[in-house]
Amino acid sequence: MADLDELALPAPGQTPRRILTIAGSDSGGSAGLQADMRAFAMLGVHGCAAVTAVTVQNSLGVKAFHEIPVDVVAGQISAVASDIGIEAAKTGMLASTAIIETIVATWRAERLDGAVPLVVDPVCASNVGEPLLHPSALDAMRDALIPLATLVTPNLDEVRLLVGIDVVDDETQHDAARALHALGPRWALVKGGHLRNSPVSSDLLFDGADFYRFAAARVDTRHDHGAGDTLAAAIAAALAHGHTVPEAVSFAKVWVTECIRAAYPIGRGHGPVNGMARLSATKGDR
Ligand code: PXL
């Protein structure tokens, strides 16, 4: 269903599906909530944003970040949930134990648990390895937030930090999916994009019973900033439209691969995946 038409875009004047991203800001506009909002707009959903941290960042890296006070994080989530309403949510950079615990408490207090699909992208570091989560917050991510998730979407570095498994092949990817699922999410997606020796980027989805594979040809580019964010945001958008998790992952994998193929340089460092790839494709078709 990697077809935009199947996401049932809203008619003019019709309220679109609403999605909440709970994530950090990237001043460079490549990753974080900026990437999420771009994906949401391109997929015809109304994006709301609860900001957890503000990074000082450009294409050369993350210089610093400032955490948003926990009452402001909670306030943003409650303000959106109590008025605008949401049909799906995703989390990205969460920075600290206090922020994670606040999100969990607010999610429950607003009675969103079990009612609204939640995609947890357990962001620990930037694409070049700068920390975006205090190491001490891993326990809260693993024990408090991931059990609330409809789907958790770690890359291989995050898999190692969360469940201590070094994914090097198909067998260890299956082991990792089982270990992640045992943490309590409804579904676990072990992304294989960081398995550099493989000609394909192959992700493995598991619901405790069945495994599903989603593979795409590896795209060799240094401009991959925001790839994980864009994938998780596209999954959340498809879930908000009522698609199942395997359908949503299948759609989002094709979507993000298009964005990676169309990635562009920016500044002097790593450029972003092109979240607007579909716009240029449409224009080129004319
Ligand atoms: O791509 C992960 C990510 C998420 N959120 C923010 C980021 C990054 C990577 O740099 O800066 C704010």
Side-chain angles (χ1 to χ4, degrees):
M1 58 151 281
D3 192 329
L4 198 58
D5 298 339
E6 294 185 43
L7 283 190
L9 298 179
Q14 185 193 350
T15 303
R17 308 292 168 107
R18 283 91 65 214
I19 299 208
L20 174 65
T21 179
I22 305 171
S25 164
D26 167 7
S27 51
S30 294
L33 70 87
Q34 285 81 0
D36 294 340
M37 297 297 272
R38 193 156 43 235
F40 295 159
M42 288 296 300
L43 294 169
V45 296
H46 177 93
C48 303
V51 188
T52 55
V54 175
T55 68
V56 178
Q57 184 173 179
N58 59 24
S59 72
L60 297 172
V62 179
K63 321 279 174 229
F65 65 79
H66 168 75
E67 291 169 30
I68 301 300
V70 291
D71 54 327
V72 180
V73 174
Q76 293 173 86
I77 298 169
S78 293
V80 171
S82 63
D83 173 46
I84 293 169
I86 48 175
E87 274 118 1
K90 69 149 288 210
T91 64
M93 173 187 181
L94 302 180
S96 74
T97 300
I99 291 177
I100 292 174
E101 287 177 346
T102 296
I103 292 166
V104 169
T106 311
W107 193 254
R108 291 217 170 94
E110 295 295 336
R111 301 187 185 287
L112 300 171
D113 191 13
V116 171
L118 174 65
V119 179
V120 172
D121 183 15
V123 173
C124 294
S126 72
N127 58 330
V128 288
E130 295 127 338
L132 297 175
L133 181 78
H134 295 300
S136 58
L138 264 177
D139 288 345
M141 176 76 80
R142 188 192 299 111
D143 302 336
L145 183 61
I146 288 178
L148 292 187
T150 307
L151 171 68
V152 61
T153 64
N155 62 31
L156 298 187
D157 298 318
E158 291 153 359
V159 165
R160 196 175 307 112
L161 289 167
L162 287 167
V163 294
I165 294 177
D166 233 334
V167 173
V168 290
D169 56 16
D170 183 67
E171 190 184 338
T172 43
Q173 197 175 18
H174 280 78
D175 293 343
R178 284 189 202 93
L180 277 158
H181 186 264
L183 299 178
R186 178 81 188 74
W187 298 79
L189 182 70
V190 178
K191 297 183 289 187
H194 289 195
L195 256 183
R196 299 265 174 230
N197 55 359
S198 167
V200 290
S201 161
S202 185
D203 304 343
L204 186 65
L205 178 67
F206 184 52
D207 67 350
D210 297 310
F211 290 95
Y212 304 76
R213 269 269 173 222
F214 303 92
R218 172 178 301 287
V219 181
D220 210 5
T221 176
R222 65 196 289 257
H223 307 306
D224 61 354
H225 206 184
D229 317 57
T230 302
L231 177 81
I235 293 172
L239 292 178
H241 277 97
H243 291 286
T244 65
V245 169
E247 285 169 351
V249 173
S250 169
F251 164 74
K253 179 74 175 169
V254 175
W255 179 265
V256 78
T257 303
E258 253 180 59
C259 296
I260 297 170
R261 272 201 204 104
Y264 52 88
I266 213 172
R268 281 164 288 151
H270 295 270
V273 304
N274 186 350
M276 303 165 289
R278 189 53 76 95
L279 282 181
S280 28
T282 310
K283 211 164 173 203
D285 287 348
R286 277 193 208 127

